[in-house]
């Protein structure tokens, strides 16, 4: 087990408690040297006999050829070289065995008192103690007041009792629930009011941070030490007090992510976007991936640090662009392991240099909520592959991305992707797995497609804007859209589109 909490284990065959005494050494995860020494996914591995991608094994096709893959292809000898690369430990509550049948009868339901059972029925729930006489099953708990407690600002200890039931919690804000009415009266406003007594904030995205024993303020983030703009001077402890206030989710919900290099302009560009109310930071959930750990300040949901993935070489594609299909296979692997994608209606990849307007994007996607689709956003004339999904904005529905994670191995082993860009690979893979194309050529304004115009009233993303000044200027232009007169497409374009219908 990756971890063990004394008491019952909700994935065990029976409800007998565990002592959780550790026996022997912990099995190590993938070593840091793997990406440098071992073969990449889909690459020849007979001479190295090891694979850099977690979960993959070197399989023989014949005595002269073999590749790294999760499963062996049909018609191969399927002899193995070396051992399968171990998977990293799953986050708490994910990647575990299914919940045992006895849990439904013996554990407590969401909101019910669990002081005696010390276990919970609902996925992602854990028993948390409110005080000496009461404990409740809930998705998360931060010591202090509960912003959704209709009985008023009562203090919670939030001491966990028993195990976390595997799965992602359906927290109140994810259900679209607004904070209780008393929050607007009892909690502090951003920056201007002292929050030490209430230990809560009335504005979404804000957290109460302590300066010293006499002052605290509601802010998005806080770095210990002197604070710019604090006229009273002195150092801030930046101790977080109480819960962060979250905005209620509105359908369709978006999980947006970007991939940045650990060096260069992209980090600064992502940081500059955080205070704008646009970009991936305006989505319900967001993640930034990189091959190295990079600090990205504070977003509306708290401190941001990149999630790392296994690097891979980038070759020149058949179209003379970046052949980065394998690199992004690793990104998608890391994203799958996080599990956040399970909580939203759409998963959206956004390039760091794209100006994203999530409210507009939702308008495009809402009519197709629940469908198994991905968005084809570029119909640039005479592309060899025809209209396709360009990679600066990749919108994929929940059921479609689930299909990808279930069948990615079939795509890696059955498509000639080695000289493809990641967007072409993803589109081809999704279609191979039965995902339908959703043609929307107004969702996106891209200089690499048919030109970028930041006054386009329909587009939800604009690309490329590779420096802070041009990104901000484009965002400003989107506030003053210019209506387009409807025009009929020329016949040659109709014929071109019909050939790919």
């Amino acid at each position: 087990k990756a971890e063990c909490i004394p008491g019952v284990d909700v994935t065990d065959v029976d409800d007998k408690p565990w002592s959780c005494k550790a026996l022997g050494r912990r099995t190590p995860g993938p070593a840091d040297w793997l990406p440098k020494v071992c073969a990449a996914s889909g690459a020849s591995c007979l001479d190295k006999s090891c694979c850099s991608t977690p979960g993959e094994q070197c399989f023989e096709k014949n005595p002269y050829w073999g590749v790294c893959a999760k499963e062996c292809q049909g018609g191969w000898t399927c002899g193995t070289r070396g051992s399968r690369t171990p998977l990293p430990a799953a986050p708490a509550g994910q990647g575990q065995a299914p919940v045992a049948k006895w849990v439904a009868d013996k554990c407590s339901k969401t909101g019910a008192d669990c002081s005696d059972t010390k276990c919970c029925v609902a996925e992602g729930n854990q028993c948390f103690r409110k005080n000496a006489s009461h404990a409740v099953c809930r998705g998360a708990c931060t010591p202090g007041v509960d912003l959704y407690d209709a009985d008023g600002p009562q203090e919670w200890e939030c001491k966990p009792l028993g195990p976390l039931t595997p799965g992602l919690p359906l927290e109140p804000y994810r259900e679209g629930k607004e904070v209780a009415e008393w929050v607007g009266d009892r909690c502090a406003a951003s920056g201007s009011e002292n929050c030490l007594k209430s230990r809560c904030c009335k504005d979404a995205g804000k957290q109460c941070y302590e300066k010293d024993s006499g002052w605290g303020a509601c802010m998005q983030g806080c770095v210990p030490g002197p604070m710019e703009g604090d006229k009273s001077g002195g150092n801030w402890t930046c101790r977080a007090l109480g819960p962060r206030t979250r905005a209620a989710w509105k359908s369709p919900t978006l999980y947006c992510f970007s991939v940045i290099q650990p060096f260069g302009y992209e980090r600064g560009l992502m940081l500059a976007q955080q205070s704008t109310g646009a970009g991936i930071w305006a989505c319900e959930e967001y993640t930034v991936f990189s091959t190295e750990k990079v600090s990205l300040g504070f977003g509306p949901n708290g401190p941001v640090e990149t999630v790392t993935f296994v690097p891979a070489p980038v070759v020149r594609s058949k179209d003379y662009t970046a052949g980065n299909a394998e690199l992004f296979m690793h990104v998608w692997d890391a994203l799958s392991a996080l599990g956040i994608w399970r909580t939203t209606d759409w998963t959206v990849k956004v390039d760091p240099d794209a100006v994203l307007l999530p409210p507009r994007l939702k308008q495009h996607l809402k009519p197709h909520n629940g469908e198994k689709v991905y968005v084809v956003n570029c119909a640039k004339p005479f592309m060899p592959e025809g209209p396709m999904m360009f990679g600066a904005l990749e919108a994929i529905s929940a059921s479609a991305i689930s299909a990808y994670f279930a069948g990615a191995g079939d795509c890696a082993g059955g498509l000639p992707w080695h000289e493809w860009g990641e967007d072409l690979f993803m589109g081809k893979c999704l279609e191979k797995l039965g995902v339908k194309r959703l043609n929307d050529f107004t969702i996106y304004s891209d200089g690499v497609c048919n030109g970028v115009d930041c006054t386009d009233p329909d587009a939800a993303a604009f690309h490329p804007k590779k420096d802070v000044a041009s990104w901000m200027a484009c965002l400003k232009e989107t506030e003053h859209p210019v209506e387009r007169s409807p025009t009929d497409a020329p016949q040659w374009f109709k014929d071109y589109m019909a050939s790919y219908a």
Side-chain angles (χ1 to χ4, degrees):
K1 298 163 67 80
E3 62 178 4
C4 187
I5 299 174
V8 297
D9 179 350
V10 294
T11 66
D12 202 358
V13 292
D14 57 48
D15 61 346
K16 294 179 181 178
W18 286 64
S19 69
C20 289
K21 178 182 178 181
L23 303 174
R25 297 185 303 168
R26 179 178 291 272
T27 303
D32 294 337
W33 50 262
L34 280 175
K36 299 177 182 178
V37 175
C38 298
S41 181
S44 175
C45 59
L46 294 191
D47 57 334
K48 297 180 178 179
S49 298
C50 64
C51 301
S52 63
T53 303
E56 293 197 348
Q57 167 78 58
C58 179
F59 290 106
E60 293 179 358
K61 178 180 182 180
N62 53 46
Y64 313 103
W65 180 253
V67 298
C68 286
K70 291 182 179 178
E71 302 295 338
C72 188
Q73 300 181 39
W76 288 31
T77 65
C78 292
T80 59
R81 299 285 185 95
S83 58
R84 185 179 291 272
T85 303
L87 292 167
Q94 300 176 36
Q96 299 180 17
V99 176
K101 293 181 179 180
W102 59 263
V103 172
D105 297 324
K106 297 199 173 184
C107 295
S108 303
K109 295 181 179 180
T110 302
D113 193 311
C114 53
S115 301
D116 294 330
T117 65
K118 295 182 174 58
C119 62
C120 302
V121 174
E123 288 188 4
N125 272 216
Q126 189 168 13
C127 182
F128 289 100
R129 194 167 89 164
K130 180 178 183 179
N131 50 45
S133 61
H134 193 59
V136 171
C137 285
R138 49 191 292 176
C141 194
T142 302
V145 295
D146 178 359
L147 302 179
Y148 300 92
D149 193 339
D151 295 331
Q154 301 178 15
E155 294 285 320
W156 281 71
E157 294 178 12
C158 290
K159 178 182 178 181
L161 306 176
L164 170 67
T165 303
L168 288 167
L170 192 61
E171 297 180 57
Y173 61 85
R174 285 177 170 158
E175 295 180 287
K177 188 176 181 180
E178 301 286 352
V179 296
E181 291 185 5
W182 59 262
V183 171
D185 298 325
R186 300 286 191 92
C187 297
S190 300
S192 61
E193 298 179 5
N194 192 344
C195 62
L196 279 191
K197 184 176 180 180
S198 67
R199 295 199 294 174
C200 61
C201 303
K202 64 175 63 176
D203 300 319
K206 299 301 188 288
Q207 166 79 56
C208 178
Y209 288 102
E210 178 189 77
K211 176 183 179 179
D212 50 36
S213 60
W215 183 259
C218 289
M219 301 179 289
Q220 190 160 291
C222 186
V223 178
M227 181 173 294
E228 184 179 353
D230 183 4
K231 296 180 181 179
S232 63
N235 292 326
W236 285 68
T237 67
C238 288
R239 185 164 68 98
L241 304 175
R244 180 177 293 269
T245 305
R246 294 289 298 264
W249 286 13
K250 306 296 183 184
S251 180
T253 52
L254 308 178
Y255 172 38
C256 302
F257 73 95
S258 295
V259 181
I260 66 170
Q261 296 188 38
F263 50 83
Y265 71 94
E266 292 177 336
R267 177 180 181 273
L269 193 53
M270 295 298 295
L271 283 168
Q273 297 169 21
Q274 285 178 343
S275 62
T276 64
I280 69 170
W281 313 110
C283 299
E284 278 77 11
E285 294 282 6
Y286 51 77
T287 302
V288 182
F289 294 90
S290 185
T291 55
E292 297 178 15
K293 284 289 184 183
V294 178
S295 175
L296 286 168
F298 299 87
N301 300 343
V304 181
E305 187 177 63
T306 55
V307 174
T308 58
F309 62 94
V310 177
V314 176
V315 301
R316 188 170 70 172
S317 76
K318 65 185 186 65
D319 300 317
Y320 300 101
T321 57
N324 54 1
E326 183 183 354
L327 182 89
F328 273 84
M329 288 182 201
H330 295 180
V331 173
W332 287 109
D333 286 345
L335 186 144
S336 174
L338 279 180
I340 299 173
W341 59 275
R342 299 178 186 274
T343 67
T344 59
D345 298 318
W346 296 80
T347 295
V348 185
K349 172 189 170 287
V350 185
D351 277 2
D353 59 348
V355 179
L356 176 70
L357 305 179
R360 285 195 196 175
L361 182 59
K362 290 188 174 194
Q363 292 175 6
H364 283 266
L365 300 179
K366 189 170 185 176
H368 307 284
N369 237 21
E371 298 177 13
K372 190 177 179 179
V373 295
Y374 80 101
V375 177
V376 176
N377 55 26
C378 181
K380 185 177 181 179
F382 311 119
M383 290 190 294
E385 304 293 339
M388 61 177 283
M389 175 174 67
F390 267 30
L393 179 72
E394 299 179 10
I396 305 170
S397 71
S399 55
I401 199 64
S402 180
Y404 170 77
F405 291 136
D410 292 338
C411 296
L415 291 173
W417 54 264
H418 294 83
E419 293 184 355
W420 286 357
E422 57 85 18
D423 46 7
L424 178 59
F425 167 76
M426 185 53 104
K428 294 284 190 183
C429 179
L430 290 171
E431 291 179 28
K432 176 180 173 66
L433 299 173
V435 176
K436 293 182 179 179
R437 299 160 65 97
L438 171 59
N439 290 334
D440 187 344
F441 305 120
T442 64
I443 198 171
Y444 180 57
S445 180
D446 190 355
V448 185
C449 182
N450 288 317
V452 58
D453 179 1
C454 298
T455 66
D456 187 327
D458 298 315
F462 307 85
H463 174 263
K465 300 295 174 182
K466 292 185 176 295
D467 59 80
V468 173
S470 63
W471 197 98
M472 293 295 180
C474 180
L475 180 62
K476 189 69 176 176
E477 285 187 76
T478 67
E479 299 173 4
H480 306 283
V482 177
E483 294 297 326
R484 268 51 173 175
S485 299
T487 57
D488 192 34
Q491 188 59 46
W492 68 264
F493 185 76
K494 293 180 180 179
D495 294 339
Y496 167 69
M497 293 301 296
S499 67
Y500 289 101

